[in-house]
């Protein structure tokens, strides 16, 4: 398989994934084009271009898109769902010194200023204008204190990084986590949201079953996309674990609050079919 798998969602939207053999988290990144520029959301888990040629892949897609659209220049912005997340920030170094680009600052206070959120964090929203495609920036701390989600009105997609994805969600601050899910639910109720796309996949296609950490062979993965209705399930589960050191298995994700990400449980939750996955 290629070291960076590329799936073209439509003519202006690309889903990129790091090969699981290069890094076990196999994170996703997303490349979006507008009339005035492009946005790369997240940058993967490996800095070395020899193993993970993210910039080379992104530049090749941009060159191809330029040819399709007869554009001489496409400025690139790179933004992270969390600068703290080592599975999504390592490839950033590959873009150092690249012409015609902007890297959203990773220190929290500087990032807030960039998005105009210094006095409105976490209640406000920011924006990245790509020209005819304005991406909304929603503060969503909880997994990480600097977490943000991105909403694309062109595709009606929420990009949620580590906050909500089909996998092992490690809660950093359960109060912030609940508040961010409440904010996302209100946002999704006010805007058309077709899919939620997170930063990883750990779940199998069998409900409640997931791959443990460091597994670099995952033949029975669940699909990446999540329906917006799953925000309600995530919010109920987050309230259930709030203030407790525990893990909670749900059909499409697993929450870890105050416990090791390698924690196991003998208490299979009600409402989740206990099916042995194929091995």
């Amino acid at each position: 398989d290629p070291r960076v798998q590329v799936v073209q969602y439509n003519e202006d939207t690309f889903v990129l994934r790091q090969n699981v053999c290069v890094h076990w988290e196999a994170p996703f990144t997303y490349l979006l084009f507008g009339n005035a520029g492009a946005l790369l959301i997240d940058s993967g888990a490996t800095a070395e271009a020899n193993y993970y040629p993210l910039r080379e892949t992104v530049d090749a897609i941009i060159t191809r898109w330029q040819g399709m659209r007869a554009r001489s220049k496409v400025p690139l912005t790179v933004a992270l769902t969390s600068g703290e997340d080592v599975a999504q920030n390592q490839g950033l170094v590959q873009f150092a010194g690249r012409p015609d680009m902007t890297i959203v600052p990773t220190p929290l206070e500087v990032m807030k200023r960039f998005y105009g959120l210094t006095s409105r964090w976490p209640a406000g929203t920011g924006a990245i204008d790509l020209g005819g495609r304005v991406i909304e920036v929603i503060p969503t701390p909880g997994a990480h204190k600097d977490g943000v989600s991105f909403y694309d009105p062109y595709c009606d997609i929420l990009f949620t990084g580590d906050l909500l994805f089909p996998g092992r969600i490690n809660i950093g601050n359960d109060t912030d986590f609940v508040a961010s899910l409440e904010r996302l639910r209100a946002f999704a109720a006010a805007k058309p949201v077709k899919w939620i796309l997170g930063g990883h996949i750990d779940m199998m296609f069998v409900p409640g079953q997931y791959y443990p950490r460091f597994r670099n062979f995952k033949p029975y993965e669940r699909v990446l996309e999540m329906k917006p209705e799953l925000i309600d399930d995530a919010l109920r589960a987050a309230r259930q674990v709030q203030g407790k050191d525990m893990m909670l298995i749900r059909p499409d994700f697993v929450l870890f609050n105050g416990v090791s990400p390698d924690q196991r449980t003998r208490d299979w939750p009600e409402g989740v079919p206990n099916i042995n996955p194929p091995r």
Side-chain angles (χ1 to χ4, degrees):
D1 288 341
R3 298 188 182 218
V4 183
Q5 179 187 4
V6 179
V7 173
Q8 186 170 359
Y9 181 76
N10 59 33
E11 61 185 6
D12 300 314
T13 308
F14 295 79
V15 179
L16 289 68
R17 192 188 195 187
Q18 184 170 354
N19 191 311
V20 70
C21 295
V22 177
H23 195 281
W24 61 273
E25 292 214 63
F28 289 85
T29 62
Y30 303 96
L31 183 61
L32 319 179
F33 288 90
N35 294 325
L39 170 67
L40 179 67
I41 298 174
D42 288 328
S43 67
T46 301
E48 295 86 358
N50 287 342
Y51 299 106
Y52 175 52
L54 178 65
R55 175 175 167 178
E56 177 185 329
T57 304
V58 169
D59 284 348
I61 296 171
I62 290 175
T63 299
R64 180 171 174 266
W65 189 90
Q66 282 178 297
M68 264 178 18
R69 295 302 181 89
R71 301 290 173 82
S72 59
K73 186 170 70 170
V74 179
L76 175 66
T77 299
V78 181
L80 304 182
T81 52
S82 170
E84 294 180 345
D85 182 8
V86 294
Q88 294 290 15
N89 67 17
Q90 294 298 293
L92 208 58
V93 298
Q94 296 183 26
F95 295 90
R98 183 187 185 278
D100 296 320
M101 78 163 300
T102 300
I103 296 177
V104 177
T106 54
L108 177 56
E109 295 306 318
V110 187
M111 183 263 286
K112 288 179 185 178
R113 287 201 298 273
F114 183 92
Y115 290 132
L117 293 170
T118 300
S119 61
R120 300 183 297 127
W121 180 276
T125 59
I128 300 174
D129 190 349
L130 302 178
R133 189 177 190 178
V134 179
I135 308 301
E136 290 194 60
V137 184
I138 310 154
T140 48
H144 304 283
K145 67 176 183 289
D146 64 346
V148 296
S149 295
F150 299 94
Y151 174 67
D152 173 25
Y154 180 62
C155 295
D156 297 335
I157 290 175
L158 265 174
F159 300 97
T160 52
D162 266 13
L163 185 88
L164 184 57
F165 64 96
R168 299 170 297 96
I169 300 173
N170 297 302
I171 299 173
N173 182 299
D174 56 16
T175 300
D176 286 346
F177 189 72
V178 169
S180 290
L181 288 172
E182 289 173 341
R183 200 174 302 114
L184 271 189
R185 184 174 65 174
F187 187 93
K191 301 285 179 77
V193 176
K194 183 176 183 179
W195 300 116
I196 294 171
L197 302 184
H200 312 274
I201 300 173
D202 298 319
M203 305 304 291
M204 300 181 185
F205 70 86
V206 176
Q209 301 287 352
Y210 61 94
Y211 288 101
R213 290 196 302 162
F214 313 121
R215 188 67 59 86
N216 60 3
F217 180 61
K218 304 177 180 180
Y220 303 115
E221 284 184 333
R222 180 200 187 279
V223 295
L224 167 66
E225 61 268 25
M226 305 177 83
K227 295 181 179 179
E229 293 79 14
L230 276 171
I231 298 175
D232 291 328
D233 189 30
L235 185 53
R236 284 191 296 269
R239 288 169 175 162
Q240 188 173 340
V241 304
Q242 189 172 13
K244 305 169 188 172
D245 293 337
M246 63 177 289
M247 68 173 289
L248 179 63
I249 296 173
R250 297 300 303 147
D252 297 287
F253 56 85
V254 185
L255 298 185
F256 294 81
N257 188 40
V259 296
S260 164
D262 300 314
Q263 178 84 14
R264 300 294 180 91
T265 181
R266 295 179 181 177
D267 301 319
W268 198 258
E270 185 179 350
V272 181
N274 194 358
I275 302 171
N276 289 324
R279 301 289 182 180

